[in-house]
Amino acid sequence: MADKFLEYKGKPLVRSKDEIYYGDMSESHIIKFTILSKDENGEPNKINIQLLKSDTTLKDKDRVEKESTKSTLFEALDIGFVWLERKLSK
């Protein structure tokens, strides 16, 4: 039986510790969110967002197409979802 991932807008959303991946690896790109730091309440306050090519045969640095850092998880998710939607609609 295959593992079933949590989905958002029809795409897998997977968390592994301080990394969150959004997107389908069968498509050309995915988004990676990395929680870089948290406040005293444990809430993320520095999140790195990367638009990545899904091709895992490329070196990590060659997979990154866009990158930014935001101060809230909401801002990070918002921009990441927009980047991916725009990239996949081309």
Side-chain angles (χ1 to χ4, degrees):
M1 185 170 134
D3 289 332
K4 183 69 176 159
F5 296 113
L6 174 68
E7 289 190 358
Y8 177 75
K9 293 187 177 184
K11 298 191 184 318
L13 185 65
V14 181
R15 182 173 181 175
S16 176
K17 298 183 183 178
D18 285 338
E19 294 180 342
I20 302 168
Y21 296 89
Y22 176 68
D24 188 334
M25 288 297 288
S26 68
E27 294 179 319
S28 64
H29 291 75
I30 62 167
I31 294 288
K32 177 183 175 185
F33 304 95
T34 306
I35 299 168
L36 301 174
S37 66
K38 298 176 185 176
D39 65 17
E40 62 277 353
N41 297 319
E43 295 296 319
N45 61 8
K46 188 173 182 184
I47 302 98
N48 177 263
I49 311 119
Q50 293 179 318
L51 174 66
L52 301 175
K53 294 176 184 173
S54 297
D55 185 353
T56 57
T57 63
L58 297 172
K59 293 179 182 177
D60 287 346
K61 66 180 177 103
D62 294 334
R63 292 180 64 201
V64 178
E65 286 202 5
K66 278 189 177 185
E67 187 168 18
S68 184
T69 303
K70 297 296 177 190
S71 58
T72 69
L73 188 56
F74 177 78
E75 288 176 323
L77 293 171
D78 192 39
I79 194 151
F81 295 155
V82 169
W83 283 356
L84 187 61
E85 185 177 297
R86 286 181 181 168
K87 189 64 175 185
L88 296 178
S89 69
K90 290 184 179 178

